[in-house]
Amino acid sequence: AIEKKKLFTLDYHDVFLPFLSSINAHPNRKAYATRTIFLLTQFGTLKPIAIELSLPSMNPFKPSKQVITPPVDATSNWQWQLAKAHVCSNDSGAHELIQHWLRTHACMEPFIIAARRHLSVMHPIHKLLHPHMRYTMDINARARELLINADGIIESFFSTKECSMEITSLAYKNWRFDMESLPADLIRRGIAEQDPTVPHGIKLLIEDYPYANDGLLIWSAIERLVKDYVNHYYPDSNSIRSDSELNTWYYESINVGHADLRHETWWPKLSTPDDLVSILATLIWISSAKHAALNFGQYHYGGYVPVRPPYMRRLIPNEDDPEYSNFVSDPEGYFLSSLPSLKEMTCLLSVLEMLSTHSDDEEYLGDRKELSTWRGNPEIIEAFYRFSMEMKAIEKEIDRRNSDPKLRNRCGAGVSPYQLLVPFSGPGVSCRGVPNSISI
């Protein structure tokens, strides 16, 4: 299976292990550092085959790790259910703190601040990025007041408690801007390989991976738009080097905004038009499609707590634990008592609904409101029109894929169609729609 690249891991071991002693010291918070192995089946779906649960090693004579495998009897069935719930609890915290807050909201902020400081409103790059910076600073300020603050929503309703920002800071040390484009991210995560003979230049190892397949359509369209735009204003490297506003913006984004990582050698250079295309396409991707995929499904995918608990209240008992007899006599009751309280989850549910809601004045990818500012540049206006038509075509293609019975990860009995990257949506909670910016 390894040789055929059929095994995949969901690894939260290193993210959570350093903080488990603090987390588990709370009477109503219990967590493991988890690793899960999945087998890619002949149907293109992922099947979990083993879950490793790790705790800090307190006793040299007692193992700090255990491995739970799919059930063979009634007892192991409930152990498997509890193990999966703990994995989902890890996943829920990492999603909110690392994938969502850190890698979209927080990491975009320095580029926006530097753009406001150094790019005039008539600068072509400011005009291009302007819709993709809408409301981001405002929503980040609100997040610092209500979501990620001490005793805020994250610390109150997720397993990470007061360790939340520490976990985010630790993860930031491994963040790399050059790995934030969709193709680079898929390759980094072992989901794809470079292959210049196939569309988009990468081959997916999980062929029916809705986020990657739909995302690559949007990524390629963004890249084409940005290339047309950059080539119009910056025909050669000299035009890049001579633009002091552009270079000052990029310099401050790295050296002030991301000062902790400013000496890293992986930062993309800004020397050629191709360099600028790569940087801008990545920024637009993060602020639009990537954030949409992470944010607007939170209510649908995380709203049913028994499937995706944000924290757990009990560990899985071993045979020599005092709670084991209670677990065996009433496994369902033990499982339910391991889940968060109804009162807290009712509050969290309302937050997830709010975060997953599109506003009435949402501006979606492919919908530019200010094309009149390019009145003297018909080539640019035409490029935006082409991009808008591509978004409409992508929407139809995603609808077609969601009706294809061969795609079992997005079509079938009980399988939700994957709509997070459908470009357009009406207001409210729709589990679809790609806004231009990180605005919620």
Side-chain angles (χ1 to χ4, degrees):
I2 293 174
E3 290 173 356
K4 294 181 179 179
K5 300 177 181 177
K6 299 292 185 182
L7 289 184
F8 296 86
T9 61
L10 185 63
D11 189 347
Y12 294 123
H13 181 274
D14 295 350
V15 172
F16 281 91
L17 190 64
F19 306 100
L20 287 182
S21 295
S22 297
I23 293 171
N24 290 339
H26 292 274
N28 65 340
R29 292 289 194 281
K30 302 301 174 190
Y32 297 97
T34 66
R35 288 191 183 103
T36 308
I37 299 177
F38 294 85
L39 175 69
L40 183 63
T41 71
Q42 60 180 330
F43 304 110
T45 57
L46 290 174
K47 180 179 181 179
I49 60 174
I51 296 172
E52 180 191 68
L53 306 168
S54 297
L55 292 170
S57 184
M58 307 297 290
N59 184 341
F61 302 103
K62 187 174 182 180
S64 59
K65 297 177 185 288
Q66 60 178 312
V67 176
I68 308 291
T69 52
V72 295
D73 57 21
T75 300
S76 59
N77 175 67
W78 283 104
Q79 291 171 329
W80 181 245
Q81 298 303 324
L82 283 164
K84 288 195 294 183
H86 276 283
V87 172
C88 290
S89 174
N90 274 187
D91 188 74
S92 183
H95 169 271
E96 205 64 70
L97 290 170
I98 300 172
Q99 310 302 336
H100 184 201
W101 164 252
L102 172 66
R103 293 181 64 188
T104 62
H105 285 260
C107 286
M108 273 296 296
E109 190 171 289
F111 294 95
I112 295 172
I113 294 174
R116 300 299 193 198
R117 283 166 51 84
H118 296 291
L119 298 177
S120 69
V121 294
M122 294 306 295
H123 191 282
I125 301 308
H126 187 282
K127 290 165 67 176
L128 175 67
L129 291 180
H130 179 66
H132 306 291
M133 303 187 291
R134 183 176 185 247
Y135 296 155
T136 302
M137 298 303 299
D138 178 69
I139 196 62
N140 283 5
R142 293 173 186 269
R144 290 186 173 98
E145 293 175 353
L146 300 170
L147 286 170
I148 64 171
N149 58 308
D151 298 321
I153 290 170
I154 297 294
E155 289 192 4
S156 299
F157 297 148
F158 288 80
S159 65
T160 48
K161 292 295 281 185
E162 71 276 2
C163 303
S164 297
M165 286 299 97
E166 276 191 275
I167 289 173
T168 307
S169 297
L170 182 65
Y172 176 63
K173 294 178 181 179
N174 297 315
W175 175 83
R176 292 180 53 158
F177 180 74
D178 65 327
M179 294 292 172
E180 289 300 296
S181 71
L182 179 59
D185 180 50
L186 294 172
I187 292 170
R188 176 183 62 86
R189 293 194 287 121
I191 304 296
E193 298 175 329
Q194 285 186 326
D195 186 347
T197 66
V198 297
H200 314 294
I202 63 171
K203 175 185 177 183
L204 293 178
L205 299 179
I206 304 174
E207 293 182 8
D208 179 18
Y209 182 11
Y211 168 72
N213 283 305
D214 296 354
L216 285 168
L217 296 177
I218 294 178
W219 166 262
S220 296
I222 291 172
E223 200 172 37
R224 282 190 292 271
L225 171 67
V226 173
K227 190 169 185 177
D228 290 342
Y229 191 92
V230 168
N231 288 341
H232 178 81
Y233 288 102
Y234 298 93
D236 51 40
S237 297
N238 185 57
S239 58
I240 298 283
R241 289 192 296 268
S242 62
D243 189 332
S244 59
E245 288 186 36
L246 178 67
N247 285 280
T248 305
W249 161 69
Y250 190 56
Y251 178 88
E252 183 170 298
S253 297
I254 297 170
N255 291 278
V256 180
H258 286 284
D260 291 353
L261 303 175
R262 66 187 183 278
H263 297 305
E264 298 292 341
T265 58
W266 44 254
W267 281 104
K269 305 298 181 185
L270 180 53
S271 302
T272 68
D274 286 344
D275 295 338
L276 183 56
V277 168
S278 177
I279 292 165
L280 295 175
T282 300
L283 292 174
I284 293 172
W285 165 259
I286 294 171
S287 59
S288 60
K290 181 172 184 175
H291 177 260
L294 290 166
N295 183 72
F296 291 103
Q298 290 188 88
Y299 181 77
H300 284 78
Y301 286 96
Y304 186 60
V305 174
V307 169
R308 189 177 169 81
Y311 70 84
M312 297 289 284
R313 293 193 286 183
R314 306 176 84 171
L315 297 174
I316 303 174
N318 296 312
E319 291 185 8
D320 55 348
D321 290 332
E323 291 186 311
Y324 188 76
S325 59
N326 294 332
F327 164 68
V328 172
S329 62
D330 184 12
E332 183 177 7
Y334 189 94
F335 180 84
L336 293 175
S337 67
S338 300
L339 298 176
S341 70
L342 180 62
K343 179 180 178 181
E344 288 188 340
M345 290 308 97
T346 303
C347 294
L348 179 63
L349 200 59
S350 66
V351 173
L352 294 180
E353 182 182 23
M354 178 182 67
L355 294 176
S356 302
T357 299
H358 290 291
S359 65
D360 291 333
D361 68 338
E362 196 83 272
E363 295 181 3
Y364 295 97
L365 195 63
D367 183 16
R368 300 286 299 213
K369 302 294 186 184
E370 73 293 351
L371 284 179
S372 60
T373 61
W374 287 280
R375 194 175 301 143
N377 294 289
E379 302 93 341
I380 299 300
I381 294 176
E382 184 178 344
F384 280 121
Y385 275 127
R386 285 198 301 270
F387 182 69
S388 179
M389 295 305 294
E390 281 194 82
M391 290 302 107
K392 291 180 172 63
I394 288 171
E395 181 165 350
K396 291 180 180 179
E397 172 60 17
I398 293 175
D399 289 341
R400 185 198 67 77
R401 291 174 176 180
N402 284 329
S403 301
D404 187 345
K406 296 192 294 295
L407 302 178
R408 302 193 182 202
N409 291 317
R410 63 198 305 161
C411 185
V415 178
S416 298
Y418 188 80
Q419 297 180 305
L420 289 176
L421 291 176
V422 172
F424 304 102
S425 170
V429 180
S430 63
C431 203
R432 59 188 285 155
V434 180
N436 278 317
S437 64
I438 300 166
S439 57
I440 184 68

